[in-house]
Amino acid sequence: EKRAGAGWLWVNRGRLVDGTRFVLASLDQMIQWVEDIIPSGVDKKAAVMMMAGKLFDYVVAPAFPIWLKPATPLIRELVVNILVSAVIDFIVSKYHTGIWMKDENAQ
């Protein structure tokens, strides 16, 4: 919902927070899912990044406002290849150090 008097660049913070939680939870589930299926760590990351790209294409990109649509390929590149890659590395490092606990019900 849009605030009264808000400009066209206004961002709904509630949706941003909810969306961020959804993406992090999705990445976590994807990482856990490929853990036992794919033997190589590099291949695991590539698979998760491919799935994250599909998630972006089907969920995130269609939700962009019309003025942002022309920048979709650039935003996708930044989000998937830079941000998601770093988040995957972060989550995996937290699993390896025992700080991030795996969800045993994820399977």
Side-chain angles (χ1 to χ4, degrees):
E1 65 196 63
K2 190 172 178 180
R3 277 185 328 184
W8 58 282
L9 289 175
W10 180 78
V11 174
N12 184 319
R13 288 188 183 103
R15 286 188 181 183
L16 183 62
V17 169
D18 290 344
T20 302
R21 286 182 182 151
F22 172 75
V23 169
L24 286 175
S26 297
L27 284 174
D28 186 37
Q29 293 293 319
M30 288 179 221
I31 290 167
Q32 290 183 52
W33 186 69
V34 301
E35 184 66 31
D36 297 326
I37 297 172
I38 302 173
S40 169
V42 174
D43 293 337
K44 290 176 187 179
K45 184 173 181 179
V48 172
M49 288 185 62
M50 182 193 67
M51 290 185 284
K54 295 294 183 186
L55 180 70
F56 182 92
D57 293 341
Y58 290 104
V59 175
V60 178
F64 284 166
I66 191 76
W67 58 269
L68 200 53
K69 298 249 186 232
T72 299
L74 176 63
I75 295 169
R76 185 189 194 281
E77 180 76 19
L78 292 170
V79 169
V80 175
N81 292 337
I82 296 173
L83 184 61
V84 167
S85 177
V87 170
I88 290 169
D89 292 340
F90 172 79
I91 291 172
V92 169
S93 73
K94 295 304 174 191
Y95 276 139
H96 288 162
T97 60
I99 294 171
W100 196 295
M101 301 306 288
K102 287 186 180 180
D103 179 5
E104 298 302 326
N105 299 323
Q107 308 299 335

